[in-house]
């Protein structure tokens, strides 16, 4: 939910709408941008009830603004997605559902997962992948999880793209591949700012791009 990845969502959604409709078309959308520092503190302190309240307030504003459906533009905050969906009268497009459908359609059964430590270590994300979609999920070892998490919060969310961090991420991806991962889910909306398909021969599933594409399809074809 940093504005760095929010800007990516905005760009991707508008590009997809223009590609499909042509001309000067752009997306009709509502964007509620939170102060990420507040949310990051709640995450660190384990104040997930407070974070849920923050998300519910944001969702309510979007519903009252006339939104037809809702996206939570962050993988980590899908931890509270069930509470948000239960509180609003419009559909929530879940990032794991959108991504897992792409993974399964590609015939991939064993994936490596990169994301914040909450995505990699809490079970709200991996459980949905395994129980609902039958995927086997591999995560980095403890030391590498710390690296992945630190780069997200200390660099990517602050707009810092460091070659040294990309090298570390690629090493971690190679390790997951060596352990049997057939593809990697970039389970944080900022990671694609650092690691792109041209950086590795390994198959990547970019949750930001997939989520944005799913939203456009829903808006234009439902």
């Amino acid at each position: 939910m940093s504005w760095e990845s929010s800007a990516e969502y905005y760009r991707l959604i508008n590009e997809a709408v223009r590609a499909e409709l042509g001309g000067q078309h752009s997306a009709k959308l509502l964007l509620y941008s939170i102060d990420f520092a507040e949310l990051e503190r709640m995450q660190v302190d384990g104040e997930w009830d407070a974070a849920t309240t923050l998300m519910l307030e944001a969702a309510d504003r979007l519903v009252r603004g006339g939104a037809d459906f809702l996206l939570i533009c962050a993988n980590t905050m899908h931890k509270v997605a069930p509470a948000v969906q239960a509180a609003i009268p419009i559909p929530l497009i879940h990032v794991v559902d959108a991504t897992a459908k792409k993974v399964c359609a590609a015939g991939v059964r064993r994936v490596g997962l990169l994301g914040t430590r909450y995505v990699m270590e809490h079970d709200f994300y991996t459980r949905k992948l395994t129980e609902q979609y039958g995927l086997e999920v591999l995560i980095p070892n403890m030391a590498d999880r710390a690296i992945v998490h630190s780069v997200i919060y200390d660099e990517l969310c602050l707009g810092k793209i460091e070659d040294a961090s990309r090298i570390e991420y690629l090493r971690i991806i190679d390790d997951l591949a060596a352990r049997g991962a057939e593809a990697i889910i970039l389970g944080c909306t900022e990671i694609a700012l650092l690691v792109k398909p041209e950086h590795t021969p390994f198959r990547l599933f970019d949750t930001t791009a997939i989520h944005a594409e799913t939203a456009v399809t829903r808006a234009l074809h439902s």
Side-chain angles (χ1 to χ4, degrees):
M1 298 198 114
S2 74
W3 69 260
E4 298 286 344
S5 60
S6 297
E8 281 296 291
Y9 266 94
Y10 188 76
R11 178 183 65 80
L12 290 167
I13 289 171
N14 278 289
E15 285 180 349
V17 169
R18 183 173 60 191
E20 184 146 351
L21 299 182
Q24 300 294 333
H25 283 289
S26 58
K28 295 179 180 180
L29 61 84
L30 299 170
L31 171 65
Y32 187 88
S33 182
I34 66 168
D35 180 356
F36 186 64
E38 294 179 13
L39 182 60
E40 192 265 345
R41 180 193 58 78
M42 293 173 185
Q43 292 173 346
V44 171
D45 293 343
E47 297 177 359
W48 293 103
D49 288 343
T52 300
T53 298
L54 185 69
M55 298 293 290
L56 292 175
E57 291 171 354
D60 179 65
R61 289 172 183 266
L62 294 170
V63 169
R64 288 189 286 112
D68 296 309
F69 59 86
L70 180 70
L71 276 72
I72 297 175
C73 297
N75 285 267
T76 295
M77 291 315 298
H78 279 75
K79 182 177 176 70
V80 305
V84 173
Q85 180 63 92
I88 60 175
I90 62 175
L92 184 152
I93 297 180
H94 200 293
V95 70
V96 175
D97 289 325
T99 302
K101 288 173 184 176
K102 288 281 188 180
V103 172
C104 292
V108 173
R109 306 310 303 170
R110 183 183 296 113
V111 294
L113 175 64
L114 301 181
T116 67
R117 73 168 185 264
Y118 314 111
V119 164
M120 293 185 290
E121 296 177 359
H122 295 191
D123 70 350
F124 71 96
Y125 203 99
T126 55
R127 186 178 68 248
K128 193 171 180 67
L129 289 171
T130 57
E131 293 183 359
Q132 290 189 223
Y133 294 94
L135 297 172
E136 182 180 347
V137 182
L138 305 176
I139 61 173
N141 62 46
M142 184 179 296
D144 285 346
R145 292 199 300 271
I147 291 171
V148 171
H149 181 89
S150 175
V151 168
I152 291 168
Y153 281 89
D154 298 338
E155 297 176 18
L156 301 181
C157 288
L158 299 176
K160 299 177 182 178
I161 308 298
E162 303 288 351
D163 289 340
S165 296
R166 181 181 297 112
I167 290 170
E168 282 292 88
Y169 267 55
L170 294 176
R171 176 188 61 76
I172 293 167
I173 287 172
D174 287 344
D175 180 68
L176 290 169
R179 290 167 52 196
E182 302 166 57
I184 300 293
I185 292 176
L186 304 183
C188 171
T189 55
E190 284 85 16
I191 293 178
L193 299 171
L194 179 69
V195 178
K196 301 181 184 299
E198 59 264 31
H199 295 138
T200 174
F202 207 58
R203 186 161 193 172
L204 305 176
F205 286 89
D206 174 5
T207 55
T208 305
I210 292 169
H211 208 196
E213 176 190 350
T214 303
V216 172
T217 299
R218 174 66 177 264
L220 298 182
H221 299 290
S222 63

